[in-house]
Amino acid sequence: MKIKSLSRAPAPAGSDVVRQPRNLDPSQHPFERAREYTRAVNAVKMERMFAAPFVGQMGHGHVDGVYTMAKDPGSLERFGSGSGDGVIKVWDLVSREEVWSVRGHENIVKGICWTPDRKLLSCATDKTVKLWDPYNTESKSPPLATYLGQGAFTDISHHRTEPAIAVASGAISIYDLSRPASAPTQTLRWPTSTDTLTSVSFNQSETSVLASTALDRAIVLYDLRTSSPLHKAILNLASNKVTWNPMEPFNFAVANEDHNIYIFDMRKMTRALNVLKDHVAAVMDLEFSPTGEELISASYDRTIRLWNRDRGHSRDIYHTKRMQRVFSCKWTPDNKYVLSGSDDGNIRLWRANASDRAGIKSARQMQKIEYDQALIRRYSHMPEIKRIKRHRHMPKPIKKAGEIKREELNSIKRKEENVRKHSKPGSMLRQPERTKMVLGTER
Amino acid sequence: MDQLDKISGQDTEPSNGQHRQTTLARKRPTAVLSQEERERQRQVAEARKKYGRGRPVRLNQVKDKKLKSALRRIENKYQDAVLGAKDAEILLENQSGFLQPESALERTYKVRQEDISEAVSVQQAKKSFELKLDLGPYCANYTRNGKQLLLAGQKGHIATCDWRSGKPGCELNLNETVRDAKWLHNDQYFAVAQKKHVYIYDAAGVEIHVLRKYVETSHLEFLPYHFLLAGVENSGFLRYTDTSTGQIVAEHPTRKGPPTALAQNPYNAILHVGHQNGTVSLWSPNSTDPLIKIQANTGAVRSIAMDRSGHYMLTGGQDSRLKLWDIRALKEVHSYSTRQPATSISISDRGLAAVVSGTSTTIWKDLLTTGNSSQPGKVQSPYLNYHSSLGTQVKPNTVGFCPFEDILGVAHSSGFTSLIVPGAGEANYDALEVNPYETRTQRREAEVKSLLTKLQPETIALDPNFIGSLDVRSAEQRAREKDLDAPSREEEKMAMLKERNRARGKNSALRRHLRKKGGKNIIDEKRVRMEQMRHEKSEREKERITGEKMELGPALARIFYTSMNTEA
């Protein structure tokens, strides 16, 4: 008879390491789903507990409201902002201190942008575009160059490689920075349009293409090589900003007055790629993240929202009692922080992911963080987790406005359905949400 | 072909003529598999059998491209996980014990404890001991990791000790009847069902809590993942208490009189209560009625035990029968006959069953696996027998296998005996789950972690994997509501009613279902619903007939509806 009994070798004496053998047999791990689910609930609760997105504000801010910001494409740390009293300041993101400032204009600084060789351009409603050198000159020094225009300028954008800028007023004026002359080298306008353009943006990937939005609710695309406009699309309401997707050169997003953000494909303007709905007032500023996957929007309703490009609703909302109407927002180039410039004159720095913490994490910490994120993704369809995950504190007026808006939209929809029910089938066709806002297109 | 679909998860049509040899290259069904690929598929199938969780998704039926690619990624991840788990088996260090007869004439049940003690190592032989105690028939309970032993004598003697090293923990003389004692989540706390109430003590024997809601509790069970202490009382009440918060979670009257047995199913935390009339009812804290009622024996159910995977249940009844039930299919698999009623049963990690009947303890092997095969045969002879050296004066009271050890603890009327049963214990434990060699810091960490992942009592159900699964019915309802052009609900209801009324007479769908369902001695919610439907149907018939009778008037009604016709 062969007899053997289970015996385990004892741990070697004097060793500090405690052994933890594993056995992955499922019969030794009962209640897998329930335990994972409980861990997922804990993880989502902790994520909400650790959500502290506000990092700080820049220096002491501006005196008047901040209406425009621009980040230096060649640096991870510097960015500039322009305010309503004509003051332009350059900030250092790391120390959150002011580095350079000047009272550049007499009116509102409407647009600001950097050139590839680290100089700052600003345009204002006093019909001037001024070129500054914040790295090499002192504060309050005079501009390097001034370009005069016919009308008040509303926005400015720089070409990716060439020393050319596009400034928007009644039409787009292309100035050549290498020439000291004041006249624009080209003027681009849609032949039949007379209204002011509110924003202009060069495509940084497809470098000859630019887009503009105007007060006559139009979005116009231009090509520099042919010196002519390409395409015009008219929406229901005017757009405040157009921004290109850095990773997908043919996609751009517009921030519209009807509280929505529309993402369009340049090649097919009859239909939006996506409609992002969550704001309760006009969307003033918009930017894609450096990865092209996410967006940030600043709205007149005193909040900024972060969006994922694929989904239809915001993934996060940032607000403070002290932050009034937000007119500008930007991503930092490292994709981790966002900036908001608002009416109260402050520029605030926020985390892009509210529960993230900066700093080097140990391998075990990283593992735990990634495990928690995977758990939340795995169980995100469960009602309890969904509820906790999307729970945000919203200011009462915004919440109320959202509820009223939803009720009104539902009642409009209900009335439309009633009419449809009592009319001949096929007489009232349904229109997809993505085409509803486009009134017409022209070539 | 089916196998291919199930196993392969990736479409790899070569784009430029080059054949990419990926791990999951999908061939057309008529191609012959090479030796390598066949071997690979066999490995994957084997790994999946042990470590797989459910069936793979059929990707060729998914039309949406994004969904298809996402599902493919997930299926690949699952495949990697399953193969990785299989590969990790190489790290398992220990092997389980065995008792193998060398010739055809040798029988394992002839082997005595003395022979076993001589054959195994000194360390193992020390684990077999005998404690002679007075103060009543004892009941014994090992902690979850098998480190500490709790002995409770009916006359009021409580003792804990680390049985491997012989270090005593605490000793109490309570001077009143003790009916049952159980460890809580670790060796720091234990609960004792005393004459009137249930008391919770510390590792040092200090009384910490009195649970006054429990009156004359006869059996206790502790659900470790939910931190629930469950007790059945002589009045038939079943109470659950959360030991981490102290709240009573549920109190259900079983309404069948004093219970005779209590056991928990470690797979889904359902309690099996055995009653005087031979029924076993399955309880969860979420419903006031038992989930399932099983007519197990003709006499009172003396003992119940479940195996670790929650598949099989053994019940021993007063009618001297030992029945093996398949709980998932709710069918009786085998029925054995014992000489005396089986008063205590315990099933080890590896499926060995120890049965106490009368004064003898018998251990059976492969009792639970023979039910699996297509031609189930009964086990003819036991694995091991044990008779106490003191003869028939010593009556074994309870048995319990020590987790992760080849040890069976028999608590009897005059003390406690520890027996070596080769092949009983699970050889390789998972230290992050239950650690038999844990240090103090590990114990503390484990306590905190298990409290953080304490499961809510709402998750206790017959199928523990229902969590996270989609609620298909409500999803369907939502989809129906969203579709504004769909026909209204009323029409659907009319259609359903018409279908139901079509079957009349003897071969109605209802009767056919009840007949085919087989187990006449199992009552679960489906059966209850069916009975209700049948009842409603007969009520409707009666009403219809009385209505018609009233129409016709008393004279005509007597002609058309004789007493024979009125019966449905």
Side-chain angles (χ1 to χ4, degrees):
Chain A
M1 183 72 67
K2 272 194 270 195
I3 305 177
K4 181 189 173 283
S5 175
L6 165 65
S7 61
R8 296 194 184 88
S15 66
D16 268 353
V17 177
V18 194
R19 308 192 64 234
Q20 293 204 303
R22 304 294 314 274
N23 187 344
L24 299 173
D25 191 357
S27 57
Q28 287 210 14
H29 302 272
F31 307 109
E32 284 182 328
R33 294 268 194 101
R35 285 156 82 188
E36 253 191 11
Y37 173 72
T38 314
R39 281 193 208 125
V41 173
N42 290 345
V44 74
K45 284 182 186 170
M46 298 256 279
E47 191 204 332
R48 285 289 92 220
M49 268 165 52
F50 284 120
F54 182 60
V55 177
Q57 71 158 23
M58 292 290 158
H60 295 290
H62 284 262
V63 173
D64 204 340
V66 177
Y67 293 102
T68 175
M69 295 196 293
K71 50 182 196 247
D72 185 353
S75 154
L76 280 178
E77 296 144 354
R78 293 293 156 81
F79 87 102
S81 62
S83 72
D85 54 358
V87 170
I88 302 160
K89 292 192 192 232
V90 173
W91 310 88
D92 178 38
L93 277 175
V94 174
S95 59
R96 299 207 295 270
E97 291 301 327
E98 182 187 312
V99 170
W100 184 91
S101 99
V102 74
R103 183 154 189 267
H105 295 269
E106 286 149 8
N107 278 355
I108 307 178
V109 180
K110 279 274 186 167
I112 194 174
C113 79
W114 292 83
T115 68
D117 53 346
R118 306 282 199 93
K119 296 197 175 47
L120 187 60
L121 281 155
S122 65
C123 73
T125 44
D126 62 357
K127 306 182 200 166
T128 56
V129 174
K130 297 194 179 168
L131 178 67
W132 313 87
D133 194 356
Y135 280 93
N136 301 324
T137 57
E138 290 293 313
S139 292
K140 301 191 185 29
S141 46
L144 294 178
T146 309
Y147 298 85
L148 300 169
Q150 294 298 322
F153 291 127
T154 51
D155 203 3
I156 186 168
S157 177
H158 196 283
H159 193 278
R160 170 83 174 183
T161 45
E162 289 173 24
I165 47 169
V167 203
S169 57
I172 296 184
S173 320
I174 310 287
Y175 285 87
D176 193 341
L177 290 175
S178 51
R179 289 196 228 155
S182 272
T185 53
Q186 286 177 47
T187 310
L188 298 165
R189 65 139 48 99
W190 190 266
T192 51
S193 87
T194 49
D195 272 318
T196 338
L197 300 171
T198 47
S199 93
V200 70
S201 177
F202 259 110
N203 190 338
Q204 301 295 317
S205 318
E206 185 61 54
T207 46
S208 315
V209 177
L210 39 144
S212 74
T213 61
L215 282 178
D216 63 352
R217 311 171 291 166
I219 304 170
V220 190
L221 298 166
Y222 309 86
D223 191 333
L224 267 190
R225 295 168 288 201
T226 56
S227 299
S228 66
L230 290 172
H231 192 107
K232 177 179 184 180
I234 304 176
L235 304 183
N236 269 338
L237 290 180
S239 304
N240 289 323
K241 183 89 169 115
V242 64
T243 169
W244 291 93
N245 187 334
M247 286 296 163
E248 293 170 0
F250 37 82
N251 289 347
F252 64 90
V254 289
N256 208 318
E257 281 280 326
D258 65 356
H259 317 175
N260 295 342
I261 297 162
Y262 301 106
I263 304 185
F264 281 99
D265 187 334
M266 171 175 120
R267 306 166 288 191
K268 187 168 184 190
M269 298 286 293
T270 50
R271 180 181 187 276
L273 289 177
N274 210 350
V275 181
L276 308 178
K277 294 184 176 190
D278 248 344
H279 277 297
V280 294
V283 190
M284 306 308 297
D285 197 8
L286 188 61
E287 208 202 9
F288 268 99
S289 76
T291 58
E293 293 286 331
E294 301 193 319
L295 289 120
I296 183 161
S297 66
S299 156
Y300 195 70
D301 66 1
R302 305 192 198 95
T303 60
I304 58 174
R305 282 189 192 254
L306 288 150
W307 314 77
N308 198 320
R309 153 179 79 100
D310 308 337
R311 319 300 295 267
H313 291 276
S314 58
R315 73 163 171 84
D316 216 339
I317 170 176
Y318 296 157
H319 59 86
T320 319
K321 266 199 187 143
R322 293 195 177 174
M323 184 161 78
Q324 301 305 312
R325 319 281 178 182
V326 196
F327 281 94
S328 58
C329 61
K330 283 272 178 284
W331 280 91
T332 58
D334 63 351
N335 208 31
K336 290 218 177 105
Y337 296 92
V338 293
L339 292 152
S340 69
S342 59
D343 221 1
D344 51 286
N346 289 113
I347 299 167
R348 290 180 177 82
L349 184 69
W350 310 80
R351 285 184 229 274
N353 291 313
S355 322
D356 271 358
R357 290 294 177 266
I360 299 174
K361 302 181 187 78
S362 69
R364 277 187 67 192
Q365 249 182 316
M366 272 316 295
Q367 208 177 31
K368 173 82 166 77
I369 290 170
E370 285 170 9
Y371 179 57
D372 279 353
Q373 285 169 356
L375 276 173
I376 295 172
R377 269 198 310 269
R378 160 81 70 92
Y379 287 95
S380 55
H381 62 281
M382 303 284 290
E384 192 62 26
I385 293 191
K386 217 196 290 193
R387 183 185 69 92
I388 297 173
K389 191 159 186 269
R390 70 185 183 106
H391 177 259
R392 299 284 185 281
H393 172 251
M394 281 206 290
K396 213 156 155 188
I398 314 275
K399 189 157 177 228
K400 203 69 195 156
E403 283 168 15
I404 293 171
K405 195 174 161 189
R406 187 173 58 230
E407 244 188 77
E408 291 183 356
L409 285 173
N410 280 344
S411 98
I412 292 173
K413 186 176 178 189
R414 198 174 47 243
K415 287 176 190 166
E416 196 189 311
E417 283 306 313
N418 283 339
V419 170
R420 184 170 281 128
K421 241 190 263 179
H422 295 275
S423 49
K424 183 175 165 203
S427 60
M428 266 185 86
L429 291 172
R430 288 184 201 278
Q431 212 185 4
E433 194 66 34
R434 287 166 195 198
T435 58
K436 265 187 200 160
M437 83 302 289
V438 182
L439 267 186
T441 56
E442 291 174 45
R443 294 201 140 268
Chain B
M1 250 185 272
D2 219 39
Q3 196 77 1
L4 269 170
D5 274 346
K6 271 197 220 164
I7 289 170
S8 69
Q10 208 173 8
D11 272 326
T12 58
E13 273 332 299
S15 51
N16 49 2
Q18 258 179 338
H19 185 68
R20 263 185 304 140
Q21 192 73 25
T22 58
T23 56
L24 303 166
R26 179 167 173 231
K27 295 261 189 188
R28 275 177 248 111
T30 50
V32 171
L33 296 169
S34 75
Q35 183 63 25
E36 221 178 69
E37 276 160 14
R38 219 178 300 158
E39 180 64 31
R40 176 95 190 150
Q41 273 185 19
R42 199 187 52 79
Q43 275 179 358
V44 169
E46 210 182 289
R48 216 171 240 161
K49 200 160 76 152
K50 185 153 190 220
Y51 297 104
R53 312 285 205 271
R55 319 183 68 184
V57 173
R58 309 194 107 228
L59 289 170
N60 48 5
Q61 289 176 351
V62 180
K63 297 281 184 265
D64 185 20
K65 278 191 204 156
K66 277 192 196 151
L67 181 61
K68 193 170 184 172
S69 64
L71 282 176
R72 183 175 296 145
R73 214 179 316 130
I74 292 173
E75 285 298 325
N76 281 340
K77 271 198 207 162
Y78 274 137
Q79 179 112 350
D80 290 340
V82 151
L83 288 172
K86 185 95 180 113
D87 289 339
E89 279 181 358
I90 207 172
L91 296 169
L92 299 177
E93 302 166 331
N94 304 307
Q95 281 154 343
S96 49
F98 52 80
L99 199 61
Q100 244 173 39
E102 279 168 332
S103 67
L105 293 172
E106 277 189 333
R107 298 273 176 258
T108 54
Y109 52 80
K110 295 250 167 68
V111 178
R112 296 170 305 153
Q113 278 294 305
E114 293 83 17
D115 304 333
I116 300 179
S117 301
E118 279 168 28
V120 297
S121 60
V122 172
Q123 209 191 26
Q124 283 297 105
K126 268 201 280 186
K127 291 185 183 168
S128 148
F129 58 87
E130 175 134 4
L131 294 173
K132 289 195 178 60
L133 308 158
D134 36 359
L135 288 179
Y138 280 81
C139 63
N141 187 222
Y142 287 101
T143 48
R144 275 191 77 208
N145 58 2
K147 199 159 177 203
Q148 302 253 1
L149 173 66
L150 168 68
L151 293 165
Q154 242 175 37
K155 298 213 176 78
H157 180 215
I158 311 279
T160 63
C161 64
D162 179 350
W163 59 274
R164 278 191 219 126
S165 55
K167 261 198 288 192
C170 76
E171 194 159 344
L172 300 169
N173 267 311
L174 297 168
N175 288 326
E176 61 176 12
T177 321
V178 165
R179 294 198 193 90
D180 201 0
K182 281 272 178 329
W183 287 104
L184 296 192
H185 56 279
N186 57 13
D187 56 0
Q188 295 299 301
Y189 308 96
F190 57 91
V192 181
Q194 294 178 208
K195 181 166 105 178
K196 196 107 186 275
H197 299 298
V198 170
Y199 292 76
I200 297 184
Y201 294 89
D202 197 11
V206 177
E207 177 189 311
I208 324 180
H209 299 294
V210 182
L211 303 175
R212 285 187 210 280
K213 288 259 180 161
Y214 290 70
V215 177
E216 290 188 3
T217 311
S218 55
H219 298 86
L220 284 175
E221 270 291 340
F222 185 70
L223 308 176
Y225 292 94
H226 304 78
F227 280 79
L228 290 176
L229 180 64
V232 267
E233 305 170 2
N234 282 336
S235 59
F237 259 85
L238 170 63
R239 278 178 230 273
Y240 291 86
T241 309
D242 187 334
T243 50
S244 57
T245 58
Q247 309 285 338
I248 293 251
V249 169
E251 295 171 308
H252 302 312
T254 55
R255 287 200 208 92
K256 285 205 159 65
T260 51
L262 178 67
Q264 76 161 293
N265 187 342
Y267 174 67
N268 54 12
I270 299 273
L271 286 181
H272 295 228
V273 185
H275 301 282
Q276 299 271 5
N277 59 357
T279 51
V280 172
S281 49
L282 273 59
W283 292 88
S284 86
N286 304 322
S287 76
T288 46
D289 291 318
L291 300 170
I292 298 181
K293 288 186 270 204
I294 303 177
Q295 181 67 43
N297 295 80
T298 42
V301 178
R302 292 300 300 276
S303 56
I304 313 173
M306 253 81 57
D307 73 329
R308 187 170 69 167
S309 61
H311 205 163
Y312 293 105
M313 170 170 78
L314 273 173
T315 53
Q318 191 64 31
D319 54 351
S320 307
R321 296 207 76 83
L322 182 69
K323 301 217 176 186
L324 177 68
W325 288 84
D326 181 337
I327 303 179
R328 308 244 183 108
L330 289 175
K331 274 200 313 216
E332 183 186 318
V333 181
H334 285 312
S335 168
Y336 296 85
S337 140
T338 54
R339 295 233 169 76
Q340 299 235 323
T343 46
S344 177
I345 310 176
S346 171
I347 303 184
S348 84
D349 294 335
R350 295 189 74 236
L352 263 63
V355 180
V356 167
S357 64
T359 53
S360 66
T361 315
T362 324
I363 298 157
W364 298 80
K365 192 175 152 122
D366 293 336
L367 203 61
L368 308 177
T369 49
T370 52
N372 244 343
S373 53
S374 56
Q375 206 21 278
K378 276 175 144 190
V379 175
Q380 299 303 326
S381 56
Y383 183 60
L384 278 180
N385 265 324
Y386 172 70
H387 296 278
S388 166
S389 50
L390 295 168
T392 52
Q393 287 175 341
V394 171
K395 267 192 72 175
N397 195 15
T398 62
V399 278
F401 279 98
C402 179
F404 306 111
E405 291 281 351
D406 274 352
I407 301 287
L408 173 70
V410 182
H412 45 75
S413 52
S414 54
F416 177 78
T417 315
S418 172
L419 310 171
I420 304 180
V421 178
E426 171 71 52
N428 297 295
Y429 58 91
D430 189 326
L432 295 183
E433 190 82 27
V434 182
N435 192 345
Y437 303 101
E438 63 186 359
T439 60
R440 195 164 57 158
T441 18
Q442 282 178 327
R443 188 194 72 216
R444 285 172 174 168
E445 286 286 316
E447 186 174 15
V448 171
K449 285 215 164 74
S450 59
L451 277 169
L452 279 174
T453 57
K454 178 180 83 163
L455 303 175
Q456 295 304 312
E458 288 82 34
T459 59
I460 297 179
L462 283 169
D463 174 24
N465 289 332
F466 79 95
I467 295 168
S469 53
L470 285 177
D471 190 0
V472 182
R473 243 182 287 158
S474 66
E476 276 172 4
Q477 193 177 24
R478 258 181 279 129
R480 248 182 281 130
E481 280 168 18
K482 218 173 165 187
D483 186 6
L484 298 157
D485 291 330
S488 76
R489 197 87 175 84
E490 295 306 313
E491 298 165 14
E492 281 183 46
K493 271 196 189 153
M494 291 299 298
M496 261 175 58
L497 270 172
K498 281 197 191 131
E499 291 244 7
R500 249 177 39 168
N501 286 335
R502 211 184 291 153
R504 266 179 260 155
K506 282 224 169 108
N507 288 332
S508 73
L510 190 56
R511 285 221 186 81
R512 209 180 327 137
H513 173 92
L514 283 175
R515 199 171 18 130
K516 278 193 178 167
K517 196 58 186 162
K520 291 211 178 77
N521 38 0
I522 296 177
I523 301 179
D524 53 359
E525 66 160 20
K526 253 197 214 163
R527 171 95 180 257
V528 166
R529 248 188 287 140
M530 288 291 173
E531 299 278 335
Q532 251 182 347
M533 268 171 61
R534 196 157 75 160
H535 185 73
E536 274 171 19
K537 198 173 168 187
S538 62
E539 290 282 309
R540 264 186 277 131
E541 271 296 308
K542 272 196 208 142
E543 273 184 40
R544 186 180 66 85
I545 289 176
T546 48
E548 288 181 1
K549 271 169 116 176
M550 295 222 340
E551 267 184 43
L552 291 173
L556 280 172
R558 221 184 308 135
I559 298 173
F560 284 114
Y561 293 100
T562 60
S563 55
M564 283 191 359
N565 283 350
T566 48
E567 275 160 32

Tab-separated table of all heavy atoms in Angstrom, chain B residues 393-411:
chain	number	residue	atom	x	y	z
B	393	GLN	N	-18.576	3.084	23.331
B	393	GLN	CA	-18.953	4.117	24.292
B	393	GLN	C	-18.790	5.505	23.709
B	393	GLN	O	-19.467	6.442	24.099
B	393	GLN	CB	-18.067	4.029	25.539
B	393	GLN	CG	-18.418	2.856	26.385
B	393	GLN	CD	-17.450	2.731	27.519
B	393	GLN	OE1	-16.346	3.292	27.487
B	393	GLN	NE2	-17.824	1.981	28.522
B	394	VAL	N	-17.858	5.587	22.756
B	394	VAL	CA	-17.570	6.895	22.177
B	394	VAL	C	-18.434	7.078	20.943
B	394	VAL	O	-18.282	6.372	19.956
B	394	VAL	CB	-16.076	6.983	21.808
B	394	VAL	CG1	-15.813	8.221	21.008
B	394	VAL	CG2	-15.249	6.969	23.071
B	395	LYS	N	-19.324	8.038	21.007
B	395	LYS	CA	-20.177	8.308	19.845
B	395	LYS	C	-19.684	9.564	19.160
B	395	LYS	O	-19.665	10.623	19.770
B	395	LYS	CB	-21.613	8.549	20.304
B	395	LYS	CG	-22.476	7.322	20.294
B	395	LYS	CD	-23.922	7.675	20.480
B	395	LYS	CE	-24.482	8.334	19.255
B	395	LYS	NZ	-25.910	8.597	19.312
B	396	PRO	N	-19.262	9.475	17.897
B	396	PRO	CA	-18.840	10.694	17.205
B	396	PRO	C	-20.032	11.639	17.052
B	396	PRO	O	-21.146	11.219	16.750
B	396	PRO	CB	-18.371	10.207	15.835
B	396	PRO	CG	-18.229	8.745	15.954
B	396	PRO	CD	-19.151	8.298	17.019
B	397	ASN	N	-19.749	12.890	17.278
B	397	ASN	CA	-20.800	13.894	17.244
B	397	ASN	C	-20.772	14.674	15.918
B	397	ASN	O	-21.726	14.702	15.176
B	397	ASN	CB	-20.622	14.840	18.425
B	397	ASN	CG	-21.851	15.664	18.663
B	397	ASN	OD1	-22.915	15.348	18.142
B	397	ASN	ND2	-21.709	16.709	19.447
B	398	THR	N	-19.650	15.338	15.652
B	398	THR	CA	-19.517	16.070	14.389
B	398	THR	C	-18.182	15.723	13.761
B	398	THR	O	-17.231	15.359	14.447
B	398	THR	CB	-19.541	17.599	14.579
B	398	THR	OG1	-18.438	17.972	15.392
B	398	THR	CG2	-20.816	18.096	15.190
B	399	VAL	N	-18.130	15.839	12.458
B	399	VAL	CA	-16.861	15.690	11.748
B	399	VAL	C	-16.631	16.946	10.929
B	399	VAL	O	-17.568	17.606	10.500
B	399	VAL	CB	-16.847	14.487	10.774
B	399	VAL	CG1	-16.554	13.227	11.517
B	399	VAL	CG2	-18.141	14.387	10.018
B	400	GLY	N	-15.352	17.247	10.711
B	400	GLY	CA	-15.024	18.377	9.855
B	400	GLY	C	-13.620	18.179	9.315
B	400	GLY	O	-12.703	17.884	10.072
B	401	PHE	N	-13.467	18.294	8.020
B	401	PHE	CA	-12.138	18.219	7.434
B	401	PHE	C	-11.414	19.527	7.690
B	401	PHE	O	-11.997	20.603	7.627
B	401	PHE	CB	-12.229	17.998	5.921
B	401	PHE	CG	-12.462	16.579	5.536
B	401	PHE	CD1	-13.728	16.130	5.231
B	401	PHE	CD2	-11.403	15.673	5.491
B	401	PHE	CE1	-13.937	14.813	4.876
B	401	PHE	CE2	-11.608	14.357	5.132
B	401	PHE	CZ	-12.889	13.922	4.835
B	402	CYS	N	-10.130	19.430	7.957
B	402	CYS	CA	-9.353	20.640	8.149
B	402	CYS	C	-9.007	21.186	6.766
B	402	CYS	O	-8.537	20.436	5.911
B	402	CYS	CB	-8.076	20.330	8.923
B	402	CYS	SG	-7.051	21.778	9.170
B	403	PRO	N	-9.252	22.461	6.505
B	403	PRO	CA	-8.945	22.981	5.183
B	403	PRO	C	-7.448	22.909	4.913
B	403	PRO	O	-6.647	23.164	5.797
B	403	PRO	CB	-9.405	24.435	5.229
B	403	PRO	CG	-10.047	24.642	6.528
B	403	PRO	CD	-9.842	23.483	7.376
B	404	PHE	N	-7.068	22.539	3.704
B	404	PHE	CA	-5.680	22.510	3.226
B	404	PHE	C	-4.795	21.529	3.975
B	404	PHE	O	-3.582	21.637	3.928
B	404	PHE	CB	-5.042	23.909	3.268
B	404	PHE	CG	-5.845	24.940	2.541
B	404	PHE	CD1	-6.493	25.939	3.221
B	404	PHE	CD2	-5.991	24.864	1.170
B	404	PHE	CE1	-7.272	26.869	2.553
B	404	PHE	CE2	-6.759	25.790	0.482
B	404	PHE	CZ	-7.396	26.790	1.194
B	405	GLU	N	-5.381	20.583	4.707
B	405	GLU	CA	-4.610	19.543	5.371
B	405	GLU	C	-5.285	18.218	5.132
B	405	GLU	O	-6.496	18.155	4.919
B	405	GLU	CB	-4.553	19.785	6.889
B	405	GLU	CG	-3.743	20.970	7.299
B	405	GLU	CD	-2.255	20.698	7.301
B	405	GLU	OE1	-1.842	19.523	7.143
B	405	GLU	OE2	-1.489	21.659	7.462
B	406	ASP	N	-4.481	17.159	5.249
B	406	ASP	CA	-5.049	15.818	5.093
B	406	ASP	C	-5.572	15.310	6.417
B	406	ASP	O	-5.298	14.187	6.822
B	406	ASP	CB	-3.951	14.856	4.596
B	406	ASP	CG	-3.820	14.864	3.099
B	406	ASP	OD1	-4.665	15.487	2.434
B	406	ASP	OD2	-2.869	14.237	2.600
B	407	ILE	N	-6.314	16.152	7.109
B	407	ILE	CA	-6.715	15.815	8.482
B	407	ILE	C	-8.226	15.873	8.582
B	407	ILE	O	-8.872	16.775	8.047
B	407	ILE	CB	-6.117	16.832	9.487
B	407	ILE	CG1	-4.608	16.831	9.384
B	407	ILE	CG2	-6.577	16.591	10.894
B	407	ILE	CD1	-3.967	15.605	9.960
B	408	LEU	N	-8.788	14.896	9.295
B	408	LEU	CA	-10.214	14.929	9.603
B	408	LEU	C	-10.352	15.046	11.105
B	408	LEU	O	-9.762	14.265	11.849
B	408	LEU	CB	-10.889	13.643	9.112
B	408	LEU	CG	-12.351	13.465	9.504
B	408	LEU	CD1	-13.199	14.458	8.760
B	408	LEU	CD2	-12.816	12.053	9.210
B	409	GLY	N	-11.126	16.038	11.547
B	409	GLY	CA	-11.330	16.195	12.982
B	409	GLY	C	-12.669	15.614	13.378
B	409	GLY	O	-13.704	16.023	12.877
B	410	VAL	N	-12.660	14.634	14.279
B	410	VAL	CA	-13.894	13.994	14.755
B	410	VAL	C	-14.099	14.421	16.196
B	410	VAL	O	-13.272	14.122	17.067
B	410	VAL	CB	-13.779	12.458	14.681
B	410	VAL	CG1	-15.074	11.833	15.131
B	410	VAL	CG2	-13.408	12.019	13.288
B	411	ALA	N	-15.186	15.116	16.452
B	411	ALA	CA	-15.498	15.503	17.829
B	411	ALA	C	-16.534	14.525	18.334
B	411	ALA	O	-17.574	14.330	17.700
B	411	ALA	CB	-16.054	16.924	17.855
